[in-house]
């Protein structure tokens, strides 16, 4: 049975990926940092789909914890076919903007949204190459890796997500010689708990500005992740970042949003 490890899978897009890979018959590893009960619930739902599932608690922003997690995953399932670097999130810039920004804020946002993906990808690639597994490494970026997020002042988040795109290009070229496909997905607004911080009014305004007619669901991202992991369908897609945003980031649409929302 093929095995997929998904970081930050206790809820949201990560949980959506875990369930979609489980539905495709993969054994799944569900990583979380602090939401153990939620992660166990996702694992149980995966088991009900007839696959093996295991929870892995680790702070992926910590190099020791993330690399140990990948090793434990390989020990548990005997292999790793797919890594989805999903854990991440944006914290708003503290008051004062970049000029007064505490460097600890910068460091923690880069650690979670960029370094973690590199640590996990390195450990997963080592395991895949050692076992000659032509696997897949998929990272979840954001449209804000390409389009600024001025209202939210999420500068390091945007910088980290842009870094994921470049990491994906370079790693894609390096690892394809081993048959490992590295790609990235850049979601727009996806309905998850991460949006709880916004007021109903802002969200309604934001949803209205998306050409599709509203935000997406975790499954919209998860289905593409499964496709990118399936060599029979996606073997010629190498080092790409694919935007999945209902048209949100297309010129004009994003400008209109920045005027009215948040
Ligand atoms: P979410 O609902 O807030 O879930 C985040 C997940 O990541 C949780 O399972 C959380 O578990 C885990 N996590 C956070 N920090 C972690 C750490 N240091 N180590 C391990 N796990 C950690 O987020 P989401 O909306 O599903 O977003 C998932 C990804 O998509 C993120 O990379 C985000 O930047 C990206 N994205 C989301 C949207 C959107 O609109 N939702 C748009 C663009 C991009 P714990 O609670 O246990 O920490």
């Amino acid at each position: 049975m093929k095995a997929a490890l998904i970081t930050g899978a206790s809820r949201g897009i990560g949980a959506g990926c875990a369930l979609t890979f489980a539905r495709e018959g993969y054994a799944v590893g569900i990583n979380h940092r602090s939401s153990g009960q939620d992660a166990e619930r996702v694992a149980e739902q995966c088991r009900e789909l007839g696959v093996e599932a295991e929870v892995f608690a680790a702070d992926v922003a910590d190099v020791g914890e993330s690399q140990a997690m990948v090793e434990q995953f390989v020990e548990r399932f005997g292999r790793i076919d797919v890594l989805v670097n999903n854990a991440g999130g944006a914290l708003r810039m503290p008051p004062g903007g970049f000029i007064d920004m505490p460097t600890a804020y910068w460091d923690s946002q880069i650690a979670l949204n960029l370094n973690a993906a590199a640590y996990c990808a390195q450990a997963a690639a080592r395991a895949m190459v050692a076992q000659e597994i032509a696997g897949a490494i998929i990272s979840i970026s954001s449209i804000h890796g390409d389009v600024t997020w001025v209202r939210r002042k999420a500068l390091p988040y945007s910088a980290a997500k842009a870094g994921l795109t470049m990491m994906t290009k370079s790693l894609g070229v390096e690892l394809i010689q081993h048959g490992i496909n590295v790609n990235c997905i850049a979601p727009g607004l996806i309905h998850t708990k991460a949006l709880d911080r916004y007021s109903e009014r802002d969200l309604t305004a934001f949803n209205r500005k998306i050409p599709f007619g509203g935000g997406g669901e975790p499954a919209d991202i998860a289905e593409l992740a499964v496709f990118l992991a399936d060599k029979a369908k996606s073997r010629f897609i190498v080092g790409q970042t694919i935007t999945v945003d209902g048209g949100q980031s297309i010129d004009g649409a994003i400008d209109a949003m920045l005027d009215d929302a948040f």
Side-chain angles (χ1 to χ4, degrees):
M1 189 183 276
K2 286 190 172 184
L5 172 59
I6 293 110
T7 70
S10 58
R11 60 175 182 270
I13 294 171
C17 286
L19 287 163
T20 308
F21 275 95
R23 221 167 273 127
E24 291 294 313
Y26 286 79
V28 284
I30 291 131
N31 159 252
H32 71 97
R33 182 186 44 185
S34 52
S35 315
Q37 280 187 347
D38 291 342
E40 200 40 66
R41 235 187 324 269
V42 176
E44 200 41 51
Q45 289 170 348
C46 291
R47 290 182 200 116
E48 282 165 13
L49 293 165
V51 298
E52 292 181 68
E54 186 93 22
V55 168
F56 296 87
D59 177 355
V60 288
D62 179 282
V63 63
E65 287 191 35
S66 56
Q67 300 211 333
M69 171 188 70
V70 175
E71 284 164 21
Q72 285 157 16
F73 178 89
V74 174
E75 240 168 68
R76 166 68 178 80
F77 294 110
R79 56 190 293 134
I80 180 164
D81 297 276
V82 178
L83 166 71
V84 181
N85 284 315
N86 165 76
L91 279 182
R92 193 186 189 117
M93 177 91 77
F98 185 73
I99 299 289
D100 294 330
M101 180 188 74
T103 50
Y105 162 72
W106 175 274
D107 291 346
S108 66
Q109 282 284 278
I110 299 290
L112 174 60
N113 290 293
L114 177 60
N115 295 354
Y119 302 151
C120 293
Q122 187 186 42
R126 282 176 178 158
M128 288 173 189
V129 170
Q131 294 192 331
E132 297 184 6
I133 290 174
I137 296 173
I138 299 152
S139 297
I140 308 299
S141 176
S142 162
I143 55 168
H144 293 296
D146 189 45
V147 182
T148 53
W149 201 358
V150 259
R151 287 288 169 102
R152 184 133 197 100
K153 299 186 168 64
L155 193 161
Y157 176 78
S158 291
K161 294 297 195 183
L164 277 184
T165 292
M166 279 315 295
M167 183 182 96
T168 298
K169 286 186 186 184
S170 303
L171 206 54
V173 170
E174 180 173 335
L175 294 184
I176 195 64
Q177 63 181 307
H178 301 287
I180 300 168
N181 271 42
V182 184
N183 286 296
C184 188
I185 302 173
L189 184 112
I190 303 294
H191 296 124
T192 70
K193 253 181 104 59
L195 306 186
D196 284 358
R197 64 182 103 149
Y198 303 122
S199 73
E200 201 56 41
R201 197 184 122 264
D202 278 350
L203 269 182
T204 307
F206 201 174
N207 272 295
R208 214 179 309 123
K209 299 283 183 185
I210 297 171
F212 177 77
E217 299 301 326
D220 293 315
I221 306 304
E223 292 294 347
L224 178 57
V226 163
F227 175 82
L228 290 172
D230 183 345
K231 285 301 175 55
K233 294 175 179 161
S234 64
R235 63 181 192 139
F236 207 49
I237 305 177
V238 174
Q240 299 302 307
T241 294
I242 301 172
T243 298
V244 182
D245 72 345
Q248 182 182 339
S249 61
I250 294 172
D251 274 349
I254 193 94
D255 288 348
M257 271 186 302
L258 291 173
D259 284 346
D260 289 5
F262 307 129

